[in-house]
Amino acid sequence: MEMAEMTPRRPYLVRAFYEWLVDNDLTPHLVVDATLPGVQVPQEFVSDGQIVLNLAPRAVGNLELGNEAVRFNARFGGRPHAVYVPLAAVLALYARENGAGTMFEPEPAYDMSSDEVVEALAETSGDPEHLTAVSSVESESLEADDSVAEEEAPQAPRPSGRPSLRVVK
C-alpha cells in the first residue's frame, strides 16, 4: 500500500498553538529565521539572523495564519510595516509569560534550497516581486508596538491558492 504524501504540519500547529495561547490570555511570540528568502520583516530588529515577533491581537492588524505564510501589519519603532513570513522560516511559537508553546522540527516540505523556496513562493503568490533574500543584521530584537493603525499600515501581499485562517479583532 503506497502512502500519499501528506501536507506539512506546521501551518496547522501554528494556528492551533496561536489559538491556545490567546485563549489562555497569553502573548504569542513567533521566532523567525530572517535569513530565508521571502521573509519580510524590519531588518533593523533582526539579531543573529532571527527576529521575535509579538503576535498578540492588540499588537498586530490583519493577521493571517495561512498554509504558506504568516502575514500581518504592525508597528516597529512607531513605523508601520507589512510583515510576511513563509512557514519555512517559522522556528517556534511560544508564550512570552511562561514559555509555553513549541519549537518546530524540520519537515521535508521545507527542506528546499533557497532557489526552490523562491520558486515555490512565486508560484503560490503569483507575485515574485515581493520575494527577496535578506541578510542578518547585528541589532537588538524588539517586539512590535502594541498599537496598530490599520489604515496607515501597508497591506501584506496576498497569495492566491489554498485557504488561510484570518484572525479578526
Side-chain angles (χ1 to χ4, degrees):
M1 173 188 238
E2 188 176 316
M3 187 172 188
E5 188 175 320
M6 295 180 67
T7 59
R9 292 178 295 218
R10 194 168 303 173
Y12 302 95
L13 293 173
V14 166
R15 289 188 289 266
F17 273 95
Y18 177 84
E19 185 176 333
W20 176 64
L21 294 172
V22 170
D23 284 354
N24 283 282
D25 295 321
L26 297 171
T27 308
H29 282 207
L30 194 69
V31 181
V32 175
D33 179 350
T35 65
L36 291 182
V39 174
Q40 291 183 345
V41 295
Q43 289 299 299
E44 60 270 27
F45 300 111
V46 172
S47 179
D48 296 325
Q50 294 184 355
I51 187 169
V52 177
L53 301 168
N54 178 353
L55 294 186
R58 70 181 182 282
V60 299
N62 301 319
L63 177 63
E64 290 185 44
L65 303 173
N67 286 338
E68 283 82 31
V70 173
R71 70 181 78 238
F72 59 90
N73 299 316
R75 290 183 172 275
F76 294 83
R79 293 193 335 263
H81 288 274
V83 175
Y84 182 85
V85 179
L87 282 169
V90 173
L91 302 176
L93 181 62
Y94 69 95
R96 177 182 65 200
E97 293 82 357
N98 62 12
T102 190
M103 291 182 64
F104 296 103
E105 61 187 46
E107 288 189 77
Y110 301 124
D111 291 338
M112 296 189 250
S113 71
S114 295
D115 291 338
E116 290 173 323
V117 170
V118 169
E119 185 177 307
L121 288 170
E123 287 173 13
T124 301
S125 70
D127 179 14
E129 295 296 316
H130 76 278
L131 302 176
T132 57
V134 294
S135 61
S136 173
V137 175
E138 292 294 324
S139 171
E140 186 174 339
S141 179
L142 298 177
E143 299 175 5
D145 293 343
D146 282 347
S147 62
V148 175
E150 292 179 31
E151 62 278 354
E152 294 177 19
Q155 294 295 313
R158 298 190 68 157
S160 58
R162 296 187 204 166
S164 63
L165 174 67
R166 183 179 174 114
V167 178
V168 180
K169 290 192 217 177

